[in-house]
């Protein structure tokens, strides 16, 4: 196995530290992380761009807030790949060996954390939207529309950008030979809370409520709030896709969270090659989360697969009947309930117009 020396040499050493404490832990993976991140970047960025184009078409075609949230998740994943993988791992570490100005290092660190927070927290409004759609459908028809979804996404991205500012003072775990300070501990706990514990708690609670609601609907007896001919509601594809996204995130980010806490209280990455190895592997596993959503969408959603095929074949959107082309597009902030009421009213008028006069008198 190639013993690749730690490329982040500490520029400031404490004279009170012993020589064995100044010994850097070797990178036992050698060039494997560089090859892995290069492949992940070459595959992940084009795949996410294709996903963004397909979701943009679906959002414009269906006017559903769901695709706006999925588009925000995809764009955040692209930012994470560019800042964390390309700039952080490949350029700073592999090419320049982190021999760059300190101000640039800290600025890139803040941008990496901001992109990371945006990638993770863009999934939270999607989870809330699915919970309201399944458990409170009437409320969802009133409050869920693309204009409101765009405002929520803008607020989430703004908060993610602000939350990345304190990590300008994030300590380089490979570079600093001294034990973590109180500032390091505060930043580490803030980091793991923002990127794992808090969003996973929200996912767990809302997904549990969704599953519980669907099971209650399945076991509901005919005649107790539902018509006998109404079939039980099963786990839809959209809900299955949501559960898959949140489950994959929780699995892929769990090792990195545990390694960071282990680095804080047990042994540092700088001194222990085993912690160094675990930290490298957990980072590689966590970054895989930025490139798997495309395959989840393709596996679950047939409209997404059809739209991706149209994009790859340079086709336009599906041909709608002439009847729908003559209809005026609804405003962007129109809720589903108002559209339903308008369509229902028009259908009733059409049905009355087509009814014979003798039947109208009987009505």
């Amino acid at each position: 196995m190639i013993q690749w020396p730690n490329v982040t040499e500490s520029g400031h050493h404490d004279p009170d530290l012993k020589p064995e404490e100044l010994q850097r832990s070797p990178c036992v993976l050698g060039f494997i992380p560089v090859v892995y991140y290069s492949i992940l970047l070459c595959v992940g960025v084009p795949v996410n761009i294709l996903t963004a184009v397909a979701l943009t078409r679906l959002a414009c075609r269906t006017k559903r807030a769901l695709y706006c949230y999925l588009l925000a998740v995809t764009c955040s994943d692209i930012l994470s790949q560019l800042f964390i993988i390309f700039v952080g791992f490949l350029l700073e570490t592999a090419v320049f060996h982190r021999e760059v100005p300190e101000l640039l290092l800290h600025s890139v660190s803040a941008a990496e954390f901001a992109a990371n927070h945006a990638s993770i927290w863009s999934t939270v409004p999607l989870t809330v939207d699915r919970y309201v759609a399944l458990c409170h459908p009437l409320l969802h028809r009133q409050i869920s529309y693309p204009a409101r979804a765009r405002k929520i996404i803008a607020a989430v991205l703004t908060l993610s950008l602000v939350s990345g500012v304190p990590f300008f003072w994030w300590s380089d775990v490979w570079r600093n030979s001294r034990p973590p300070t109180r500032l390091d501990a505060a930043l580490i706990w803030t980091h793991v809370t923002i990127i794992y514990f808090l969003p996973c708690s929200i996912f767990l609670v809302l997904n549990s409520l969704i599953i519980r609601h669907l099971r209650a609907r399945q076991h509901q007896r005919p005649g107790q709030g539902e018509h006998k001919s109404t079939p039980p509601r099963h786990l839809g594809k959209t809900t299955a896709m949501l559960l898959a996204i949140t489950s994959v995130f929780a699995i892929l980010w769990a090792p990195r969270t545990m390694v960071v806490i282990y680095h804080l209280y047990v042994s540092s990455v700088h001194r222990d090659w085993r912690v160094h190895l675990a930290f490298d592997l957990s980072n590689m596993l966590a970054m895989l989360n930025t490139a798997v959503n495309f395959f989840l969408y393709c596996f679950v959603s047939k409209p997404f697969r059809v739209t991706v095929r149209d994009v790859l074949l340079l086709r336009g959107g599906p041909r709608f009947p002439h009847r729908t082309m003559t209809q005026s597009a609804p405003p962007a902030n129109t809720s589903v309930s108002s559209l339903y009421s308008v369509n229902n009213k028009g259908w009733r008028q059409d049905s009355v117009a087509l009814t014979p006069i003798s039947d109208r008198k009987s009505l």
Side-chain angles (χ1 to χ4, degrees):
M1 184 179 295
I2 300 175
Q3 294 289 335
W4 208 27
N6 194 337
V7 295
T8 58
E9 184 175 359
S10 178
H12 301 282
H13 296 301
D14 193 343
D16 297 333
L17 295 177
K18 298 180 181 180
E20 60 268 20
E21 294 177 340
L22 296 176
Q23 183 67 30
R24 298 188 308 271
S25 60
C27 181
V28 297
L29 291 178
F31 291 94
I32 293 178
V34 178
V35 176
Y36 171 82
Y37 288 125
S38 300
I39 296 175
L40 186 62
L41 190 68
C42 293
V43 175
V45 172
V47 162
N48 281 330
I49 292 176
L50 177 61
T51 305
V53 174
L55 291 175
T56 302
R57 286 193 177 189
L58 289 172
C60 296
R61 185 185 308 162
T62 62
K63 304 298 181 182
R64 292 182 62 187
L66 169 67
Y67 294 113
C68 296
Y69 293 125
L70 294 177
L71 182 61
V73 174
T74 303
C75 294
S76 301
D77 287 339
I78 295 175
L79 293 177
S80 298
Q81 290 173 340
L82 294 179
F83 281 107
I84 299 177
I85 298 177
F86 180 68
V87 178
F89 287 112
L90 295 181
L91 286 184
E92 287 186 350
T93 303
V95 177
F96 297 106
H97 302 284
R98 304 190 76 84
E99 295 297 332
V100 294
E102 292 289 334
L103 179 61
L104 181 59
L105 279 176
H106 291 292
S107 300
V108 172
S109 177
E112 290 174 356
F113 281 98
N116 191 10
H117 297 169
S119 177
I120 294 172
W121 278 89
S122 297
T123 315
V124 175
L126 172 64
T127 309
V128 176
D129 181 78
R130 289 298 88 199
Y131 165 74
V132 177
L134 291 173
C135 299
H136 307 282
L138 297 180
L139 178 62
H140 182 264
R141 293 175 181 176
Q142 298 175 1
I143 67 175
S144 180
Y145 46 86
R148 174 167 290 180
R150 287 191 289 268
K151 293 179 182 179
I152 295 175
I153 292 168
V156 170
L157 296 180
T158 303
L159 292 176
S160 300
L161 179 62
V162 173
S163 66
V165 174
F167 295 93
F168 179 87
W169 293 272
W170 179 265
S171 177
D172 192 346
V173 295
W174 290 285
R175 207 171 180 184
N176 293 334
S177 57
R178 63 171 60 251
T181 61
R182 292 184 178 179
L183 177 60
D184 296 333
L187 290 176
I188 287 175
W189 275 109
T190 303
H191 171 60
V192 297
T193 302
I194 291 177
I195 62 102
Y196 194 77
F197 291 126
L198 188 56
C200 280
S201 300
I202 297 175
F203 297 153
L204 179 62
V205 172
L206 294 182
N207 290 339
S208 301
L209 292 176
I210 290 174
I211 295 175
R212 179 182 177 182
H213 177 76
L214 293 178
R215 288 182 177 178
R217 292 293 298 270
Q218 288 179 359
H219 292 87
Q220 187 176 13
R221 297 179 180 178
Q224 295 182 358
E226 278 189 319
H227 195 269
K228 294 183 179 182
S229 61
T230 303
R233 181 177 296 183
H234 299 281
L235 184 65
K237 292 185 177 181
T238 305
T239 307
M241 181 171 60
L242 171 64
L243 296 178
I245 293 173
T246 54
S247 301
V248 168
F249 160 75
I251 293 173
L252 294 181
W253 275 91
R256 187 182 185 278
T257 304
M258 292 186 293
V259 171
V260 169
I261 297 176
Y262 187 89
H263 158 78
L264 178 61
Y265 291 106
V266 181
S267 181
S268 66
V269 175
H270 182 85
R271 293 161 53 182
D272 194 342
W273 68 270
R274 290 164 295 189
V275 182
H276 193 158
L277 174 62
F279 199 71
D280 287 339
L281 292 176
S282 62
N283 282 331
M284 294 165 63
L285 197 63
M287 287 298 100
L288 184 62
N289 186 59
T290 61
V292 299
N293 288 340
F294 170 80
F295 305 99
L296 294 177
Y297 301 161
C298 288
F299 181 75
V300 173
S301 175
K302 182 179 180 180
F304 181 80
R305 293 195 299 269
V306 173
T307 307
V308 169
R309 183 185 60 189
D310 293 339
V311 172
L312 292 177
L313 297 178
L314 301 180
R315 296 177 182 174
R319 296 180 180 179
F320 296 97
H322 296 287
R323 179 187 58 177
T324 59
M325 296 297 294
T326 58
Q327 293 178 356
S328 59
N333 60 346
T334 304
S335 62
V336 180
S337 60
S338 59
L339 292 176
Y340 174 78
S341 60
V342 172
N343 293 333
N344 189 24
K345 185 183 298 182
W347 176 82
R348 292 180 60 185
Q349 292 177 355
D350 293 339
S351 62
V352 172
L354 295 176
T355 305
I357 299 177
S358 59
D359 294 340
R360 291 188 209 174
K361 292 180 180 180
S362 62
L363 291 175

